[in-house]
Amino acid sequence: MDSQIHKIHQQLMDKDITCTDLVQGRLDLLKQNTNNTVNSLLDILALDLAGKVDAKIAKGETIGLLEGIPFGVKDVYMVQGTLTTASSKLLKNYKSAYTATAIQKLMDAGAIPLVKENCDSFGHGSSSENTIFGAVKNAINPELVAGGSSGGSAVNVAKDYTVFSIGGDSGGSIRQPAGYNHIYGLKPTYGRISRYGLMGYASSTDCVGPLAKSIEDIRIVLNVMSGKDTKDQMTYASETISEKSILNHEPIKTIGYFKSFIENDAIDPQIKSDFLAAIEKIKAKGIAVKPLDFFDPNTLVSTYYTLTMAETASNLSRLDGTNYGNRIEAETLKETYAVTRSENFSEESKRRIVGGNQVLSQGFSDDIYLKALALRDTISERFENNFNDVDIIVSPVTPNTPPKIGKSLKDPLTMYLSDGYTVGFSLGQLPTITVPQGTETGLQITAAKNNDELVLKFANFLKDTI
């Protein structure tokens, strides 16, 4: 299978390249890039680690598959001693005191972090424009948005600045930018990878996941990051997915798609046409296809944002300048809190915090928040029923192609609705991958909980089918 990780590993072992030259070359590309993907470079750390890999090779020692492989980190993950800004004014000078579990596992396997990557501030956005570092520019067309919130991570992979990057996905923040930049992006089953050290956006849907140019590289990175972590009670032990296992798609007999997604008035006619053409190609391979009834995308968006705004209001309540962040003094403590948060949070973050506090407030929580919780349970039950009938659900990643930079900032509602095809799978806590085939923004492949291997199987099958 096509894999940059395998290719670079072999080049290092054969001494065709040195790890130091590899890392320095990628750092140079990141410094020169004009897509606004970089919040900070980890050049001193990266070159030090690269030197250690070269020393091992010079001694004739065997190196692990990920040793010396350069990767990117979305700037919402802690990496000890480095700036972790969440692309926000509030945390622009904050340095991590520890390293996130998922990132530490990669570093323990020898992978080398190069860069903290630009993103929507605190993950609040679907375009990577809500950032103090400037809008991330799409890898294919720099006039368009990169998608969000993991836009910098997706562009760095697409432009070969990093071999892979680690994004964060709450409602589509890995899958949508992967689709916009024509690469692979995986949101694993909720709890498969520890969230410890990830700045929380919405605790009930936050997932750590990889972006890469091949399914094999996604598989390798997923295996390393997966596993139970005592620092995250939602994690669980999971089995390793082998390279051989994802070559066999025979267990997949029936796939489904949601009629409400394809018959929706908001979908771009070309995306609809391309999606239906992809379905016909899948049918031609002998796989049964079943249309499924599901919720309207607007209902999914409303449910998702009701719950996640409430959770982000709670998660960000600690950021008042007292223990963390850029404190702005005023005459009283209450005024200090107010001006610190008002001046340092982006307009989008403030919109979500205010919305979250509203739905949690007395008089509104019963009518709004509790109803959204009940609807999420209904959505999960519907997914369980669907997966009794089909093995895989295939859907477009987005209803439309990437907008021009600046458009989403003027129309937040349209930005929220662009998440209509991704947020439902987040509410269901299901494994979902974006593949760069089928439509202009790719296809989304989803399986039942804990069936991450099945998702990779079908993604590999589609690689040679569409």
Side-chain angles (χ1 to χ4, degrees):
M1 295 174 69
D2 183 35
S3 165
Q4 286 194 62
I5 292 174
H6 283 290
K7 179 181 177 181
I8 292 171
H9 173 73
Q10 195 60 52
Q11 288 174 330
L12 289 170
M13 289 297 295
D14 292 342
K15 299 182 181 180
D16 293 335
I17 57 172
T18 68
C19 189
T20 298
D21 286 344
L22 169 68
V23 167
Q24 186 63 64
R26 300 290 176 124
L27 287 170
D28 290 342
L29 290 173
L30 286 163
K31 288 175 185 176
Q32 297 162 12
N33 103 84
T34 57
N35 293 76
N36 289 341
T37 63
V38 176
N39 286 2
S40 60
L41 289 176
L42 311 182
D43 45 358
I44 296 174
L45 171 63
L47 289 169
D48 177 61
L49 294 173
K52 293 177 180 178
V53 174
D54 285 335
K56 285 185 70 173
I57 295 171
K59 293 176 184 176
E61 297 179 22
T62 301
I63 61 170
L65 184 58
L66 276 179
E67 269 191 89
I69 304 296
F71 73 101
V73 182
K74 183 179 179 180
D75 200 9
V76 291
Y77 289 97
M78 304 295 174
V79 178
Q80 188 175 23
T82 71
L83 287 170
T84 303
T85 71
S87 294
S88 72
K89 187 177 179 182
L90 185 66
L91 296 177
K92 63 182 180 181
N93 296 315
Y94 178 74
K95 283 192 175 182
S96 306
Y98 61 97
T99 299
T101 296
I103 307 303
Q104 188 62 60
K105 284 187 172 185
L106 291 168
M107 293 177 69
D108 289 346
I112 297 177
L114 292 185
V115 56
K116 301 299 278 296
E117 297 168 320
N118 199 359
C119 58
D120 285 302
S121 179
F122 294 107
H124 297 162
S126 305
S127 64
S128 292
E129 295 174 280
N130 298 300
T131 161
I132 62 169
F133 296 100
V136 182
K137 299 177 183 179
N138 189 285
I140 293 98
N141 182 348
E143 293 184 358
L144 306 180
V145 301
S149 59
S150 307
S153 303
V155 172
N156 280 341
V157 169
K159 301 283 281 187
D160 289 318
Y161 300 152
T162 59
V163 176
F164 66 90
S165 286
I166 304 304
D169 192 311
S170 299
S173 292
I174 288 174
R175 291 163 285 155
Q176 186 242 44
Y180 279 4
N181 293 281
H182 301 179
I183 61 170
Y184 292 94
L186 174 70
K187 183 197 84 66
T189 299
Y190 178 79
R192 186 183 179 100
I193 301 173
S194 173
R195 299 161 301 161
Y196 180 73
L198 164 65
M199 290 188 191
Y201 164 25
S203 302
S204 67
T205 60
D206 284 347
C207 288
V208 179
L211 299 105
K213 280 192 165 181
S214 75
I215 300 158
E216 172 64 0
D217 289 348
I218 293 282
R219 181 195 70 84
I220 293 166
V221 176
L222 174 66
N223 280 336
V224 171
M225 292 194 297
S226 297
K228 191 167 181 58
D229 180 14
T230 56
K231 296 170 183 172
D232 180 353
Q233 294 183 346
M234 301 308 297
T235 54
Y236 61 91
S238 56
E239 291 186 9
T240 297
I241 300 172
S242 71
E243 181 179 359
K244 184 179 179 181
S245 69
I246 65 174
L247 298 176
N248 175 24
H249 72 274
E250 289 183 3
I252 302 166
K253 306 296 184 184
T254 307
I255 69 159
Y257 70 90
F258 294 140
K259 292 183 290 183
S260 59
F261 285 14
I262 305 309
E263 296 168 2
N264 194 287
D265 292 338
I267 192 171
D268 180 278
Q270 191 61 54
I271 288 182
K272 177 178 179 178
S273 174
D274 289 345
F275 176 80
L276 293 174
I279 290 295
E280 290 303 316
K281 290 178 181 178
I282 294 169
K283 276 186 185 178
K285 291 292 185 177
I287 293 177
V289 177
K290 182 174 183 178
L292 300 170
D293 292 318
F294 201 61
F295 294 90
D296 180 86
N298 290 352
T299 301
L300 299 173
V301 169
S302 299
T303 305
Y304 171 78
Y305 276 104
T306 296
L307 296 173
T308 58
M309 284 183 178
E311 291 181 31
T312 203
S314 175
N315 281 329
L316 295 186
S317 62
R318 75 196 76 177
L319 299 182
D320 55 20
T322 302
N323 294 311
Y324 309 100
N326 179 36
R327 183 182 179 93
I328 301 174
E329 295 290 347
E331 291 187 6
T332 68
L333 182 60
K334 185 175 181 180
E335 289 173 352
T336 295
Y337 289 159
V339 72
T340 294
R341 288 168 67 83
S342 179
E343 293 296 323
N344 284 312
F345 279 127
S346 70
E347 291 303 309
E348 183 58 37
S349 291
K350 286 187 279 189
R351 189 179 292 119
R352 298 188 186 205
I353 291 168
V354 170
N357 285 325
Q358 176 79 357
V359 302
L360 290 173
S361 63
Q362 187 174 5
F364 288 92
S365 60
D366 288 351
D367 289 337
I368 303 176
Y369 182 68
L370 295 182
K371 284 184 179 178
L373 283 175
L375 190 52
R376 180 173 67 182
D377 290 341
T378 304
I379 290 167
S380 295
E381 290 171 8
R382 185 76 66 86
F383 276 128
E384 289 181 13
N385 293 333
N386 286 333
F387 285 116
N388 287 330
D389 296 329
V390 302
D391 303 306
I392 289 287
I393 293 171
V394 179
S395 59
V397 180
T398 62
N400 299 101
T401 55
K404 285 191 173 182
I405 290 172
K407 186 177 179 180
S408 297
L409 296 178
K410 297 174 184 176
D411 191 357
L413 179 58
T414 299
M415 180 183 70
Y416 298 158
L417 293 175
S418 72
D419 296 334
Y421 294 177
T422 55
V423 295
F425 304 120
S426 295
L427 293 169
Q429 302 183 338
L430 306 176
T432 307
I433 192 171
T434 288
V435 300
Q437 295 105 27
T439 79
E440 178 61 27
T441 58
L443 293 175
Q444 200 172 193
I445 300 167
T446 306
K449 281 185 182 180
N450 305 322
N451 277 332
D452 302 62
E453 182 177 299
L454 203 62
V455 163
L456 297 184
K457 282 178 184 286
F458 198 69
N460 187 62
F461 165 73
L462 284 189
K463 179 168 62 73
D464 301 317
T465 301
I466 298 177

